[in-house]
Amino acid sequence: MDIVPPSAEREKAMENIRHKLALLPDQPGCYLMKNEEGKIIYVGKAKVLKNRVRSYFSGSHDGKTQKLVSEIRDFEYIVTASNMESLILECNLIKEHHPRYNVLLKDDKSFPYLKITHEPHPRLEITRRVVKDKGKYFGPYPNAFAAQQTKKLLDRLYPLRKCRTLPDKVCLYYHLGQCVAPCEFPVNPAVYEEMVGEITRFLNGGHTEIKRELQRKMEEAAEELAFERARELRDQMMAIEALMEKQTINMADAMDRDVFGYAVDKGWMCVQILYMRHGKMIQRHVSVFPYYGEAYDDFLSFVTQYYSDNPALPREVLLPSPPDKGEAAPGTAVAATAMVSDSALLEASLAARSEGDSTEEGEGAEIGDSLRRWLKIRVAVPKRGTKRQLVAMACDNSRVALEEKFRLIERDESRSVKAADGLAQWIGIPSASRIEAFDNSNIQGSSPVSAMVVFTDGKPDRKEYRKYNIRTVEGPDDYQTMREVVRRRYERVLKEGLPLPDLIVIDGGKGQIAAAADVLVNELGIDIPVCGLAKDAKHRTAELLVGDPPEIVPLPRDSQEFYLLQRIQDEVHRFAITFHREKRGKSMIASRLDAIPGIGEKRRKQLLRHFGSLKAIKEAAPEDFRAVSIGEALARRILDALNENGETESTLK
């Protein structure tokens, strides 16, 4: 197989892209960026395809966009009749192709909803799957607990059936008055219609009327001296009050609405949704993810995916306006803002009124109109008034959530540095900034390998990892294997002037420590502290051994230093085992192919390069071997030899 130099291949791809850029139309549509394998890695939309697509290949970009552009080898585009069509098409293409650089919602229906099923005997249930099945959906609720509490109350008020399949006889729910028992008694459909209507009215904000009706029934029961019934009705009223008092702050119009805000920083985006149900601010939801395109475009991609195929929609959605040209996106300002608390959200919504609010004109109005026609609900981009303040609040919270994320990362890094410094103090060395750890792996001496990982300031430095095939040791001899690997590693370090580690960690006990120290001091003449990690009977990190002769360092099991050693041991063991499995699998595949008459090293490599795996070779037809210049007779011999038993590549590994 001819190998084309990567630079020549990229230049050829860029030449093709330049030709296609000249043919782009001045129309709205969607574009699909592809990598060298032809896989779609990004989908975007544009008002003017020519301008938007050309912008990727001219001017400067931030680090994440540069990474996206560096992988583009081709693109396609689809012209649409309007911006709304491009918005919907983009959403559908993202859901179909799952491009790695797009904003992707893993599950756009992951929030809990209350559902009244569309069945002869309807049920009230909690679900996270919203489908168009003629059921009635209400939500989303901020969390499962909120949905469960509401369902628990409605189960007490309205005795719909509880069982998924009708049992042979009545159950406990019937005796508790929470089921009409359609399993045993005929139920008039009008009864269900009345209950479903009442539940719908309640969940759509009519709880005040229902509470008033319960009040009237309670008073009637008390006049008739039916005190138990009156107490039951009173308890139901108190349950409604207890549920709703957590949501006591109202908007004047009592409308269901979702308020969106977003912020971007350091290549990350945070989208915050403030949920208002029945005019009450109930909760917020935060999503943080990397983004690679234009901030506002990717934000709209999030919104469209969030609502696609979702029949449980609010009556209104509020969105931030697109940034003016030259204006920074929300959240990029340097000034910090304190996180808005839940109580502050409620205080702000107390003053919120729909009067005096004004919506965006121009591009913002166009965006709102496109989404409105698609979703069939009101979508507003307010430019002043209290609705604008709610959107600004969501944007402020998004910015602070991003700042919190970066502070946590910094804190994590400082904690790792502190753990490395603390480990140095326990061992009695000046520093443990650079730690190199070794582990061996073999099965009864077969395919022996070793591996080294590097931790810098308590963090894995994967570009410094190294793998070693053992050359001089026969059989399972961990001590000699350790001597060979340490010798090879630090001979090269001295020869090439590479940085020496502050500490060497050996995944083993006293024998391995002694073997490594002997090579370092007596053969190479360098003095580097060596410690060992001994395991207990359950193969867990148990003791830190240091010195000559090695002695136990009494590290507390709950200390950051001990956690750091555990991470080092787990990482070097994982790296060594993975390398050993790869080598063993390849050697067993090679031995099976080499055992077939007529297959030498050259043909074996050709077969594996062409088919990719032993399993693919086994499943091939005789005519498939012509691509590697193998005739039908030899092809049948190969297939017969490989299919003598049911062993596959996966079992070999």
Side-chain angles (χ1 to χ4, degrees), residues 259-263 272 274 318-321 330-331 337-338 340 345 348 382-400:
V259 183
F260 281 82
Y262 78 102
Q272 184 142 166
L274 307 181
L318 301 182
L319 300 177
S321 59
T337 304
V340 181
L345 288 174
K383 66 177 182 179
R384 61 175 179 266
T386 50
K387 289 184 179 179
R388 177 70 185 90
Q389 293 172 9
L390 287 172
V391 171
M393 181 190 304
C395 290
D396 286 343
N397 276 266
S398 299
R399 179 172 62 250
V400 177

Side-chain angles (χ1 to χ4, degrees), residues 417-461:
V417 172
K418 186 177 179 182
D421 292 342
L423 181 62
Q425 292 177 10
W426 274 99
I427 296 175
I429 58 178
S431 171
S433 175
R434 181 183 176 92
I435 300 173
E436 297 185 358
F438 295 84
D439 189 21
N440 304 325
S441 182
N442 65 80
I443 296 180
Q444 297 179 347
S446 66
S447 303
V449 299
S450 190
M452 180 197 78
V453 302
V454 177
F455 275 61
T456 303
D457 293 329
K459 291 280 191 180
D461 192 355

Side-chain angles (χ1 to χ4, degrees), residues 374-631:
W374 180 41
L375 299 175
K376 304 296 189 293
I377 60 174
R378 175 175 166 77
V379 180
V381 183
K383 66 177 182 179
R384 61 175 179 266
T386 50
K387 289 184 179 179
R388 177 70 185 90
Q389 293 172 9
L390 287 172
V391 171
M393 181 190 304
C395 290
D396 286 343
N397 276 266
S398 299
R399 179 172 62 250
V400 177
L402 274 183
E403 292 171 355
E404 183 179 274
K405 172 185 174 62
F406 296 133
R407 284 200 302 269
L408 287 173
I409 292 174
E410 291 170 2
R411 183 182 176 193
D412 233 8
E413 291 176 353
S414 63
R415 184 178 295 177
S416 298
V417 172
K418 186 177 179 182
D421 292 342
L423 181 62
Q425 292 177 10
W426 274 99
I427 296 175
I429 58 178
S431 171
S433 175
R434 181 183 176 92
I435 300 173
E436 297 185 358
F438 295 84
D439 189 21
N440 304 325
S441 182
N442 65 80
I443 296 180
Q444 297 179 347
S446 66
S447 303
V449 299
S450 190
M452 180 197 78
V453 302
V454 177
F455 275 61
T456 303
D457 293 329
K459 291 280 191 180
D461 192 355
R462 291 182 173 83
K463 67 179 183 298
E464 297 278 353
Y465 287 13
R466 296 293 182 269
K467 302 172 182 177
Y468 296 92
N469 286 305
I470 303 306
R471 300 169 180 168
T472 62
V473 180
E474 297 292 335
D477 190 335
D478 272 350
Y479 299 156
Q480 291 304 316
T481 298
M482 188 62 66
R483 294 177 69 90
E484 176 186 328
V485 172
V486 170
R487 182 185 301 113
R488 287 168 56 189
R489 165 62 183 169
Y490 296 105
E491 278 181 346
R492 182 175 182 182
V493 167
L494 294 174
K495 181 179 179 181
E496 299 182 8
L498 302 176
L500 288 168
D502 299 307
L503 177 67
I504 295 173
V505 176
I506 304 298
D507 190 10
K510 297 179 179 180
Q512 284 94 334
I513 295 174
D518 180 55
V519 170
L520 291 168
V521 175
N522 297 324
E523 295 186 26
L524 303 177
I526 53 178
D527 185 15
I528 304 174
V530 181
C531 68
L533 298 176
K535 299 184 179 72
D536 59 18
K538 295 184 178 180
H539 207 72
R540 297 175 302 192
T541 307
E543 296 174 339
L544 172 64
L545 303 174
V546 177
D548 186 18
E551 296 181 355
I552 296 173
V553 177
L555 272 179
R557 289 291 185 98
D558 59 351
S559 66
Q560 290 295 326
E561 293 81 4
F562 193 82
Y563 295 154
L564 174 59
L565 290 173
Q566 282 183 317
R567 291 199 302 273
I568 292 172
Q569 187 175 48
D570 290 344
E571 179 68 358
V572 70
H573 184 66
R574 177 201 65 80
F575 192 51
I577 285 291
T578 301
F579 179 39
H580 179 255
R581 286 174 178 166
E582 290 173 357
K583 181 182 177 183
R584 181 168 173 261
K586 288 177 181 177
S587 66
M588 294 183 75
I589 291 170
S591 64
R592 293 200 65 197
L593 290 172
D594 287 340
I596 301 172
I599 299 296
E601 182 180 357
K602 184 177 179 180
R603 271 185 168 161
R604 167 167 56 82
K605 289 181 178 178
Q606 284 180 328
L607 285 168
L608 289 174
R609 188 183 301 118
H610 178 71
F611 290 101
S613 68
L614 191 66
K615 183 178 180 182
I617 298 174
K618 288 180 61 176
E619 294 173 350
E623 55 269 20
D624 295 335
F625 289 81
R626 293 173 187 163
V628 286
S629 303
I630 291 179

Side-chain angles (χ1 to χ4, degrees), residues 251 253 255-262 271-277 281 296 299-300 303 306-307 314-321 349 352-354 357-360 364 367-368 371 375 377-395:
M251 290 268 298
D253 54 8
M255 182 185 288
D256 286 5
R257 55 170 56 89
D258 292 346
V259 183
F260 281 82
Y262 78 102
V271 176
Q272 184 142 166
I273 312 170
L274 307 181
Y275 296 113
M276 301 191 71
R277 294 296 177 263
M281 189 79 73
Y296 197 76
F299 164 69
L300 288 181
V303 175
Y306 179 80
Y307 287 123
R315 290 178 59 192
E316 183 179 58
V317 172
L318 301 182
L319 300 177
S321 59
S349 65
R353 304 185 188 279
S354 59
D357 288 333
S358 178
T359 55
E360 187 71 70
I367 291 166
L371 286 171
L375 299 175
I377 60 174
R378 175 175 166 77
V379 180
V381 183
K383 66 177 182 179
R384 61 175 179 266
T386 50
K387 289 184 179 179
R388 177 70 185 90
Q389 293 172 9
L390 287 172
V391 171
M393 181 190 304
C395 290

